[in-house]
Amino acid sequence: GIQFCALIDRIPQLEQLLRGSVKGMVFRASLDVESRKFSVGIILPAERTISFSDSVYSGPLELAFEIGASPEDMLIMLRACLNVHVDTQPDPLAFALGLKAGVVGASAYGQMLNDWTNPCGLGKEIVIRKCALQFGIVYSTFFSTGTPGEIGLAGELSVGKKLAGVAMKVSQNPKEQLLVAEIVDLGVTDLVHFASLVVGHELPDPGDILHFNELSLYLSTGTSIGLTYYPAGVSAKGGMRIFGKRAKFELSLALGIKIMATIEAFELGPLKVRGAARPDPI
């Protein structure tokens, strides 16, 4: 593709409209030869921020237009960065916000760009990251039935070395589907302990029923949530303990299909399960 950027020092008509200097404004134009898309936009200077309060304010604003191969591909886009100061960390939380509208539909997204440590004073080992939300509509469907065209969300929570993350997207377009999950060092006992802290009552310990050392699940048709793109692919991998027995599995679907699973040899009453050539079945 081809991209052109220019720094604007002064445009009297625009200064009169904005009632201030436009020094530092950036004009940008680009052409993507493969997709045959042309876009043009302006980025307002950093001092042109919108302050909602002393702790919530926006960064530079960008207004852009994108023209595709057909009139239905035309988009109007507005992007901005929102900064939110919180008491538990020195640096503000930064969110990327975007809104785009076209002939067929419109969508909006928000994505957290940095980590939120000790959220709401819950603890310094608790970190929230990779949070994103996307919502889109198709005009004809939304105004007749009220049904959204797409909903996507993502987020990750870690407590020390324990981690749980998820990303999912559902859409009217079958080519825009996503389900991603990741778990590290998390089990049923941890969930019961966390629930006990929330309700303020000690719940019974279920024991070592199920504990995930690691688990990853990836199903994507090739789509994005906010600024994050998830390439097309299908895979799953995990290591866990089930009733005290170690187990592993791996699945991938690319040029071929690969499925592998193993569990530590066990006995259940008269039933004995073991490997044919090794101690453990595979």
Side-chain angles (χ1 to χ4, degrees):
I2 304 170
Q3 182 165 299
F4 169 80
C5 290
L7 187 65
I8 298 174
D9 182 60
R10 192 160 182 243
I11 300 179
Q13 295 83 355
L14 195 55
E15 288 181 346
Q16 184 178 3
L17 178 63
L18 296 176
R19 298 180 181 179
S21 173
V22 297
K23 187 175 182 179
M25 179 181 292
V26 175
F27 173 81
R28 181 170 61 186
S30 63
L31 174 64
D32 191 323
V33 180
E34 290 186 5
S35 62
R36 299 173 63 187
K37 290 183 178 180
F38 173 76
S39 63
V40 58
I42 56 174
I43 304 174
L44 300 179
E47 59 265 26
R48 190 69 56 189
T49 58
I50 301 174
S51 296
F52 301 96
S53 67
D54 293 337
S55 58
V56 181
Y57 55 91
S58 72
L61 304 177
E62 180 181 3
L63 178 64
F65 299 88
E66 184 178 280
I67 303 172
S70 63
E72 291 78 11
D73 296 332
M74 187 179 68
L75 291 174
I76 301 175
M77 296 173 287
L78 178 64
R79 304 186 185 98
C81 181
L82 184 69
N83 301 285
V84 180
H85 280 279
V86 293
D87 297 333
T88 55
Q89 62 185 44
D91 298 327
L93 296 177
F95 295 87
L97 306 178
L99 174 66
K100 62 181 180 180
V103 178
V104 178
S107 65
Y109 70 84
Q111 181 168 340
M112 191 164 67
L113 301 177
N114 53 356
D115 296 350
W116 186 5
T117 305
N118 189 14
C120 304
L122 296 177
K124 294 183 179 180
E125 290 190 350
I126 300 178
V127 180
I128 297 176
R129 59 171 66 92
K130 299 181 181 179
C131 291
L133 175 65
Q134 184 165 319
F135 181 85
I137 62 172
V138 177
Y139 300 137
S140 58
T141 305
F142 183 76
F143 291 121
S144 60
T145 66
T147 305
E150 64 175 10
I151 298 177
L153 56 89
E156 185 178 288
L157 172 67
S158 64
V159 182
K161 295 182 179 180
K162 303 181 186 298
L163 180 145
V166 66
M168 63 176 296
K169 184 177 183 180
V170 292
S171 171
Q172 292 182 357
N173 185 353
K175 296 182 179 180
E176 296 278 335
Q177 310 294 329
L178 172 70
L179 177 59
V180 177
E182 183 179 8
I183 297 175
V184 176
D185 191 22
L186 189 65
V188 175
T189 302
D190 299 311
L191 297 178
V192 172
H193 177 65
F194 181 76
S196 299
L197 296 177
V198 173
V199 301
H201 177 72
E202 189 66 27
L203 300 176
D205 189 347
D208 192 16
I209 299 175
L210 178 63
H211 186 97
F212 291 102
N213 299 322
E214 62 170 339
L215 172 67
S216 62
L217 172 67
Y218 188 93
L219 303 169
S220 176
T221 56
T223 184
S224 61
I225 299 178
L227 302 176
T228 305
Y229 179 71
Y230 299 85
V234 176
S235 65
K237 184 179 181 181
M240 66 199 78
R241 290 196 312 271
I242 305 175
F243 295 102
K245 298 297 182 179
R246 299 187 304 271
K248 292 183 178 180
F249 72 91
E250 182 178 353
L251 179 148
S252 64
L253 178 61
L255 297 178
I257 300 175
K258 176 185 177 182
I259 301 175
M260 186 281 291
T262 180
I263 187 171
E264 191 176 1
F266 66 91
E267 296 183 11
L268 187 62
L271 177 66
K272 296 182 180 180
V273 179
R274 61 179 183 268
R278 302 180 182 180
D280 301 330
I282 185 168

